[in-house]
Amino acid sequence: MRIFATAIALAGILAAGTAFAKPVTIKFSHVVADSTPKGQGALMFQKLVKERLGDDKVKVEVYPNSQLFGDAKEMEALALGDVQLIAPSLSKFDKYTKQLQVFDLPFLFDDIAAVDRFQASAEGKKLLTSMEKKGFIGLAYWHNGMKQLSANNPLRKPEDAAGRKFRIQASDVLLEQFKALNSNPQKMAFAEVYQALQTGAIDGQENTWSNIYSQKFYEVQKYITESNHGALDYMVVANTDFWTELPKDVRAELEKILNEVTVEVNKMAEDLNQRDRQRIAESGSSEIIKLTKEETEAWRKAMAPVWATFEKDIGADLIKVANASNTAK
């Protein structure tokens, strides 16, 4: 019996050693094109992990354009371990923490630099860990850019959006934003938007220049209003158990790589958006409408009630800190 027990123990040790030696596979799933800031960030992460850790230790597989899961299913897939890294827009997290709704408040941030300052603050960093008890850990914020409005009718005044059907992400704040314009918001997966615009199932949508270009929304929208009314950013997020159970040296190197990639993604986001804005303008498919200060203020005023609606859930102090990032040095 002693010999048998010893044999079993030895087999267990060998099995454990084999399991430990097996490469860690990280499936990085996202819903946008490789050419976007998020797409480029995922590929950069894959490249650096291969260079520094090697496929024999950690193998990163990148799946863009909803190849594995659409944006309605990716959080569930992460929870189940079907993927190991995702980078949803911040709008996707409101069912897990109401505080992250702060990023969806219309006209809260003047520009992406203000978003950056808020995310780098103590309050912004704290939001990364606000979902740990729900099984998700935020690892980084990645910029995409400021959102623009598109439609097949010109949107110069808030009244121009009345009665129109706009696609939105699954966000209660965005739902109220479009209701404030007396329009008809439609929650819809990102992968379905082009066809819905093409067939007239919806009249318009909101997105960054890079997403509008990469998904060819400009081909099926006659007008794009340069509203810059909100930020569209992402959180790189992992399953808490998966991330914390990685070998410490592996996790430390992955965190270092993610930090480096984040700096580069956030630098390139503005360049990509300006490049794609120019491409859209040169295509002649959509007319870009530039708002005057007075017109912008009218949109800001129309959407202002949304702040009060969500102040209690988000927290007045957090909104104050975020708003202060517009004037912070």
Side-chain angles (χ1 to χ4, degrees):
M1 289 297 294
R2 283 197 299 270
I3 294 172
F4 181 72
T6 302
I8 292 295
L10 181 59
I13 291 170
L14 291 172
T18 302
F20 183 78
K22 185 178 180 180
V24 174
T25 298
I26 297 177
K27 293 181 180 179
F28 194 151
S29 173
H30 64 84
V31 303
V32 296
D34 284 332
S35 59
T36 60
K38 178 161 59 175
Q40 289 293 293
L43 292 175
M44 194 184 308
F45 177 72
Q46 180 187 49
K47 178 176 179 290
L48 292 179
V49 170
K50 183 179 178 66
E51 290 175 356
R52 299 185 190 176
L53 291 171
D55 286 344
D56 57 332
K57 200 166 189 178
V58 180
K59 184 178 181 181
V60 177
E61 300 173 356
V62 176
Y63 298 91
N65 282 319
S66 305
Q67 287 178 6
L68 285 185
F69 300 98
D71 50 8
K73 294 290 185 181
E74 57 184 0
M75 289 297 290
E76 180 183 348
L78 185 66
L80 293 173
D82 293 332
V83 294
Q84 287 68 48
L85 275 187
I86 58 175
S89 70
L90 296 169
S91 301
K92 300 297 194 310
F93 297 110
D94 63 357
K95 67 171 65 173
Y96 304 101
T97 172
K98 297 300 182 185
Q99 287 185 305
L100 281 170
Q101 290 179 320
V102 67
F103 289 102
D104 277 343
L105 292 178
F107 291 105
L108 174 58
F109 300 105
D110 291 344
D111 50 36
I112 209 68
V115 179
D116 202 34
R117 285 190 290 268
F118 174 62
Q119 291 173 349
S121 70
E123 293 83 357
K125 290 178 179 177
K126 189 176 179 182
L127 292 177
L128 289 170
T129 58
S130 61
M131 299 178 289
E132 279 197 60
K133 291 182 179 179
K134 303 287 179 66
F136 305 109
I137 182 168
L139 305 174
Y141 292 113
W142 284 2
H143 293 332
N144 186 330
M146 302 301 287
K147 292 186 292 185
Q148 321 304 331
L149 287 167
S150 74
N152 282 323
N153 65 296
L155 302 173
R156 294 186 179 278
K157 302 174 292 183
E159 306 91 84
D160 295 332
R164 306 287 177 177
K165 292 179 287 186
F166 287 90
R167 177 265 175 175
I168 63 167
Q169 300 180 73
S171 161
D172 290 340
V173 177
L174 299 181
L175 188 73
E176 292 302 317
Q177 170 187 286
F178 281 99
K179 284 185 177 180
L181 300 174
N182 296 313
S183 58
N184 186 6
Q186 307 283 319
K187 293 182 179 180
M188 182 180 295
F190 186 66
E192 300 172 7
V193 178
Y194 180 87
Q195 185 176 8
L197 291 170
Q198 187 180 44
T199 61
I202 54 174
D203 300 306
Q205 56 87 53
E206 58 171 8
N207 238 302
T208 61
W209 292 113
S210 64
N211 280 352
I212 292 170
Y213 182 77
S214 66
Q215 299 298 316
K216 300 183 179 181
F217 295 160
Y218 68 98
E219 293 182 353
V220 288
Q221 295 278 261
K222 294 179 181 178
Y223 301 95
I224 303 173
T225 298
E226 194 166 22
S227 54
N228 293 312
H229 63 281
L232 177 53
D233 268 16
Y234 308 114
M235 182 186 290
V236 181
V237 61
N239 179 291
T240 303
D241 290 339
F242 165 78
W243 193 254
T244 56
E245 289 172 8
L246 287 171
K248 289 184 179 180
D249 61 324
V250 171
R251 186 170 69 248
E253 187 61 31
L254 291 175
E255 288 173 348
K256 181 180 178 182
I257 291 170
L258 265 175
N259 289 337
E260 292 177 26
V261 171
T262 297
V263 172
E264 293 305 313
V265 168
N266 291 348
K267 281 181 181 177
M268 78 170 69
E270 183 62 20
D271 290 340
L272 286 174
N273 275 294
Q274 290 308 310
R275 179 202 69 185
D276 289 343
R277 182 194 184 281
Q278 184 63 27
R279 287 175 170 178
I280 292 169
E282 291 173 352
S283 75
S285 297
S286 292
E287 178 184 338
I288 296 175
I289 298 172
K290 298 192 72 172
L291 299 175
T292 65
K293 288 183 179 180
E294 292 75 18
E295 288 170 336
T296 300
E297 187 55 35
W299 285 93
R300 185 187 296 271
K301 185 177 180 181
M303 295 180 179
V306 179
W307 287 33
T309 301
F310 292 92
E311 183 179 82
K312 184 177 180 180
D313 284 343
I314 296 170
D317 290 343
L318 187 62
I319 294 174
K320 185 177 180 180
V321 171
N323 195 27
S325 66
N326 291 308
T327 55
K329 301 297 182 182

